[in-house]
Amino acid sequence: MEYFAGISDALRLTFVQVMIMANLSIGIFIIGMYINLKKWGMGSTGYGAAPSKSILAFPKMLMYQMSEHAHVHNQSVLETFVLDIVFQRRILRRSPLRWFMHFTIFVGWMVLFAMSLAMFLVEMIHMVGEKVGYAHSLPEIMNPEIFREMLSLPNDVFSYILLVGIIIAIYRRLFVAKVREATIAYDSVLLIGLTVITVSGFVADGIRNGTFWGLGMHYELAPPAALFHVIISLLFCIAYIPFSKYIHMIAIPLALLANKGGE
């Protein structure tokens, strides 16, 4: 969202288009999650679990999905969340390079998402304030231009962190024989999607700031470039999650919590 506010009055229409796509993507995500929760709650003969009529039974199913030899541990929820979910120590024990790749993608993606959400909320509050006439009384930080400038440096930093993770992932898929042989279409789609989103974000931001090669002065290209970036981000990173391998970002943490961490 940070690409849209303050470029020109014409971006009001673009903002409306993004809002429509955001609501559509969230709706698809909710439907997809409902389907997954219902599937997990019904059980699976492949895991030898008896069907359940409640979608609330899915944590047990997730424990089966992680490993047929899953063991329940006794570490605290906080320890599981910090060490196993955020820090991802289980991956670190297996491969430091793979952990670094996962961690940079995870941190870059999640922080950029949080900043985009914060920028969106500031935009909405300011827009409502303008409509009802109290925008002038809002704190200075709630000014979209000021807030966007404040996020400019961390946005660049975490964008490059995400890019580093993606470059490592591409390298492993292309040049590490064991990884290349194990790569399936699912993996390729996820990697290509992340790459397109990240590169299009750099392009859109470069056009808006006048720093992109040869297109720096063509500010009229900023709205469509930003619109393209945000739409594919919404569709790929929200709507597509329940129907893709990305579901592991939700399923595995829940399974770790249900299993109380460990291996």
Side-chain angles (χ1 to χ4, degrees):
M1 294 302 176
E2 65 268 21
Y3 299 116
F4 291 96
I7 300 176
S8 69
D9 292 337
L11 289 182
R12 296 297 180 184
L13 176 59
T14 304
F15 184 79
V16 172
Q17 293 171 333
V18 171
M19 286 297 297
I20 293 173
M21 290 303 304
N23 283 281
L24 177 62
S25 298
I26 293 172
I28 296 173
F29 173 83
I30 292 174
I31 293 172
M33 285 306 302
Y34 172 77
I35 293 172
N36 277 305
L37 293 176
K38 186 176 181 180
K39 177 181 66 177
W40 292 335
M42 290 176 63
S44 170
T45 55
Y47 297 121
S52 167
K53 295 181 180 180
S54 171
I55 65 172
L56 299 179
F58 73 89
K60 183 177 180 180
M61 286 304 306
L62 290 176
M63 291 173 64
Y64 281 105
Q65 292 183 39
M66 286 188 65
S67 171
E68 59 179 350
H69 302 294
H71 300 286
V72 175
H73 299 261
N74 293 316
Q75 65 186 34
S76 68
V77 172
L78 180 60
E79 183 181 357
T80 300
F81 179 78
V82 174
L83 297 180
D84 291 325
I85 297 176
V86 177
F87 190 67
Q88 303 177 24
R89 65 177 176 181
R90 298 168 71 252
I91 300 177
L92 178 60
R93 289 168 178 167
R94 290 172 171 80
S95 169
L97 179 61
R98 185 183 174 195
W99 171 84
F100 184 74
M101 176 195 72
H102 274 269
F103 193 71
T104 51
I105 291 176
F106 172 76
V107 170
W109 188 6
M110 295 305 295
V111 174
L112 288 172
F113 174 79
M115 289 193 295
S116 294
L117 180 60
M119 188 70 236
F120 168 74
L121 293 175
V122 169
E123 289 279 5
M124 292 300 297
I125 293 172
H126 186 78
M127 185 178 296
V128 172
E130 287 183 335
K131 294 292 184 182
V132 300
Y134 69 80
H136 63 280
S137 63
L138 291 172
E140 188 177 17
I141 196 175
M142 299 306 291
N143 184 309
E145 292 293 336
I146 295 175
F147 194 75
R148 186 183 313 105
E149 185 61 29
M150 184 182 71
L151 293 183
S152 178
L153 179 59
N155 183 72
D156 289 342
V157 170
F158 285 98
S159 293
Y160 281 108
I161 288 175
L162 175 59
L163 181 62
V164 167
I166 291 173
I167 290 174
I168 295 174
I170 293 174
Y171 173 83
R172 293 180 76 246
R173 298 294 175 188
L174 292 178
F175 301 109
V176 179
K178 184 177 180 181
V179 178
R180 184 175 64 246
E181 292 169 0
T183 298
I184 59 176
Y186 245 164
D187 302 315
S188 299
V189 169
L190 294 180
L191 189 54
I192 291 171
L194 274 179
T195 303
V196 172
I197 290 171
T198 303
V199 172
S200 65
F202 278 112
V203 171
D205 191 55
I207 295 175
R208 181 173 67 85
N209 293 321
T211 59
F212 190 69
W213 310 305
L215 297 175
M217 300 305 294
H218 294 274
Y219 297 111
E220 71 278 3
L221 297 177
L227 184 61
F228 173 79
H229 168 68
V230 173
I231 286 179
I232 63 169
S233 297
L234 289 170
L235 293 177
F236 192 78
C237 296
I238 296 180
Y240 185 52
I241 285 178
F243 309 98
S244 72
K245 195 175 179 180
Y246 271 141
I247 193 65
H248 78 274
M249 296 188 306
I250 299 174
I252 291 180
L254 289 175
L256 283 168
L257 289 173
N259 195 39
K260 296 184 180 180
E263 295 298 325

